[in-house]
Amino acid sequence: MCPVIIDRSKHTVSRKNIAPEALKVLYRLKETGFHAYLAGGSVRDLLLGRTPKDFDVATDAHPNQVKGLFRNCRLIGRRFRLAHVFFHNTIIEVSTFRARLTAETGEQGPHFKQRDGLILRDNVFGTPEEDAWRRDFTVNALFYNIADYSVIDYVDGLKDLDARLLRVIGDPAVRFAEDPVRMIRAIRFACSCGLTIEESARKAMLELRDKVALASRERLYDEFLKLAFCGQAEKVARAMLEYDMFAVMFPEMASWMKEPGNESRQTWFFKALRQVDIWKKAGLRPDEPLLWALIFGEYHESLAEEMIKQGYRPAEALVQAVLNHMLNHESRVQIPKKIAHETIRIMAMQPLFARTTGAKPKRLSARPSFEHAFVYFKFSAGLKGRNKELVEWWTAQLKGGSAGNSE
Ligand code: ATP
Ligand code: MG
């Protein structure tokens, strides 16, 4: 199929907005005689007038040929070799055009998995057209060609981009079954790029959402972080509930939020993610343990309340509640132990903010994760309309750098 080629004068992708490191890689490949395209999310973002998060390059040069061209290059990936070209503070990912079967985890068919590296490599490389078709959404499959500064479109992605439509390449049911994580990606791109999910994809998501649970627990963890830090996390949270996708990832908390008569339980969840968006706008990113503490906060507190009724002390109850929930072996999302333990520390400190006499405040403020714990304390106080005086007391103490010197 012939692609639509949009001449430089007819699109808005400008080299001014492309990282110089990416341009360097593109030009060197081109000058050596290879195709060199900017690909994926960076072309989409540039056409939308957004700042790309990173710049990916697609080429017909094989990984070893890429490595030969750049001193600062490392090959990664076992199934599909990718070249990472390292610069002072950025990495440009260079991938060789791929054939359809290699979509991240979409390698279907036993013959494919059994092959050794060499044969696999021969089979996975493809043409630019194949490379475009194996991608997930039409708006993610556009190329920017450094040879003539044109945009190359095999999949009608530009039309969809103009219509602000997120359309799956191929049959949504097939592509989502191949790799269910694409459904979560759909939510992320729809929310972060302001796109509407095309109707047949929407239907397929509602039908197939349970398949998300088939993705590896580690990958779901990474994907959730991408959702949380995409800059539109509150919108994402609403969409995750609308598609009932949050329930697939975190079933216990989702059913707690859905208990009839308790609609207000969603408010905390949305506000936590709104806070993450506010930080992101200010160029800040909360550490993961704090992120989880905030997202799960009200749920963990309610679990702890039940335990307190059974006789646990508050701090102990919080520790146990967070432990049971975040480190549950049956959970769908694998939260790294180290992160979960820090979230536990943040929560276990909460009851201790009530102690403002003697050396206790000083000891508390010297504990690891104290700053995170105080962020949580302030956030929950604001949301729940509680502990106003304590927040003021602690804020004054910490400003003066003298927590605990009040006596
Ligand atoms: P971001 O702005 O978050 O980086 P992105 O579109 O660049 O978004 P990446 O995860 O960096 O997303 O992937 C780069 C490109 O690789 C995508 O634009 C898409 O074309 C392709 N891709 C990534 N994951 C998949 C997948 N699961 N299935 C098919 N294609 C994928
Ligand atoms: Mg990217």
Side-chain angles (χ1 to χ4, degrees):
M1 201 183 98
C2 280
V4 175
I5 295 179
I6 297 94
D7 193 71
R8 172 63 191 100
S9 61
K10 299 202 173 68
H11 67 73
T12 55
V13 178
S14 160
R15 275 167 292 162
K16 270 204 317 270
N17 300 322
I18 301 175
E21 296 85 358
L23 287 173
K24 204 167 172 178
V25 171
L26 287 165
Y27 279 126
R28 188 163 309 165
L29 285 164
K30 187 207 104 176
E31 275 148 25
T32 319
F34 294 113
H35 287 305
Y37 299 163
L38 205 59
S42 54
V43 184
R44 175 199 69 218
D45 288 345
L46 289 170
L47 286 164
L48 285 171
R50 292 160 42 92
T51 307
K53 209 172 69 201
D54 43 40
F55 291 89
D56 296 330
V57 169
T59 180
D60 55 349
H62 281 210
N64 280 319
Q65 292 173 309
V66 177
K67 192 165 164 50
L69 285 178
F70 300 96
R71 254 187 317 130
N72 46 342
C73 177
R74 194 176 306 152
L75 299 189
I76 60 149
R78 243 164 19 108
R79 284 181 318 205
F80 188 87
R81 302 284 271 172
L82 289 175
H84 273 177
V85 185
F86 289 80
F87 291 90
H88 178 57
N89 50 12
T90 190
I91 298 172
I92 304 297
E93 189 170 287
V94 183
S95 63
T96 308
F97 297 130
R98 294 187 212 186
R100 170 71 190 276
L101 271 178
T102 61
E104 278 61 22
T105 60
E107 310 94 323
Q108 303 284 314
H111 66 284
F112 192 82
K113 284 185 184 142
Q114 278 161 16
R115 304 204 165 172
D116 66 25
L118 208 78
I119 301 167
L120 184 72
R121 281 210 290 279
D122 279 346
N123 277 301
V124 292
F125 296 136
T127 62
E129 180 174 0
E130 284 173 313
D131 187 86
W133 284 98
R134 65 95 193 166
R135 291 173 185 268
D136 46 7
F137 303 102
T138 61
V139 298
N140 281 352
L142 297 162
F143 296 128
Y144 169 79
N145 185 357
I146 202 67
D148 58 5
Y149 314 124
S150 64
V151 168
I152 304 175
D153 181 5
Y154 286 97
V155 295
D156 268 349
L158 276 164
K159 225 168 59 192
D160 290 335
L161 207 56
D162 283 343
R164 298 290 188 267
L165 210 54
L166 189 71
R167 187 192 301 278
V168 173
I169 296 176
D171 178 348
V174 173
R175 302 302 308 282
F176 288 151
E178 255 175 32
D179 179 7
V181 167
R182 289 178 183 142
M183 291 185 263
I184 306 179
R185 290 172 59 83
I187 289 181
R188 175 156 61 91
F189 296 130
C191 295
S192 63
C193 302
L195 308 174
T196 304
I197 300 176
E198 180 273 326
E199 189 52 28
S200 66
R202 211 179 75 82
K203 278 198 187 129
M205 283 165 71
L206 290 169
E207 260 166 43
L208 299 173
R209 60 181 167 225
D210 289 342
K211 287 195 185 292
V212 167
L214 299 173
S216 83
R217 300 169 74 220
E218 293 82 1
R219 192 161 173 226
L220 288 181
Y221 181 77
D222 291 342
E223 285 301 322
F224 195 90
L225 290 186
K226 287 186 199 166
L227 290 174
F229 296 134
C230 79
Q232 292 290 342
E234 187 188 0
K235 248 186 171 175
V236 162
R238 292 181 193 278
M240 289 292 281
L241 293 189
E242 182 195 329
Y243 284 93
D244 223 7
M245 211 81 92
F246 189 70
V248 182
M249 296 178 91
F250 297 104
E252 298 95 347
M253 177 170 159
S255 54
W256 173 82
M257 278 200 293
K258 278 191 287 191
E259 274 173 29
N262 288 295
E263 288 70 23
S264 67
R265 286 177 179 175
Q266 295 182 3
T267 310
W268 177 302
F269 178 56
F270 293 144
K271 292 227 168 125
L273 288 163
R274 184 183 304 168
Q275 184 59 51
V276 177
D277 289 340
I278 293 169
W279 281 325
K280 166 108 187 189
K281 246 197 183 145
L284 303 168
R285 173 179 161 129
D287 287 340
E288 288 163 37
L290 176 61
L291 172 81
W292 296 111
L294 293 177
I295 290 178
F296 294 145
E298 192 179 25
Y299 176 55
H300 286 163
E301 286 187 18
S302 93
L303 293 176
E305 268 164 36
E306 289 306 311
M307 299 175 104
I308 291 167
K309 281 185 205 152
Q310 290 162 25
Y312 278 83
R313 287 200 319 251
E316 213 184 327
L318 279 162
V319 168
Q320 209 50 49
V322 184
L323 193 74
N324 292 349
H325 177 232
M326 288 181 71
L327 290 178
N328 179 351
H329 291 301
E330 282 164 23
S331 67
R332 307 258 170 86
V333 178
Q334 173 137 356
I335 299 177
K337 263 202 190 120
K338 196 168 153 257
I339 305 279
H341 280 293
E342 201 177 324
T343 305
I344 291 169
R345 270 207 298 275
I346 292 170
M347 296 306 286
M349 274 186 259
Q350 296 309 310
L352 309 183
F353 282 99
R355 305 183 188 172
T356 54
T357 56
K360 283 174 186 147
K362 189 164 194 163
R363 277 211 300 269
L364 180 60
S365 65
R367 282 211 202 173
S369 310
F370 169 79
E371 277 177 30
H372 289 159
F374 189 48
V375 171
Y376 182 95
F377 188 71
K378 282 189 287 188
F379 175 81
S380 59
L383 248 177
K384 289 281 176 188
R386 67 189 184 197
N387 297 331
K388 191 164 171 281
E389 286 84 27
L390 282 175
V391 170
E392 280 165 10
W393 188 88
W394 276 97
T395 306
Q397 297 302 308
L398 294 167
K399 249 195 202 131
S402 60
N405 292 345
S406 59
E407 281 195 347

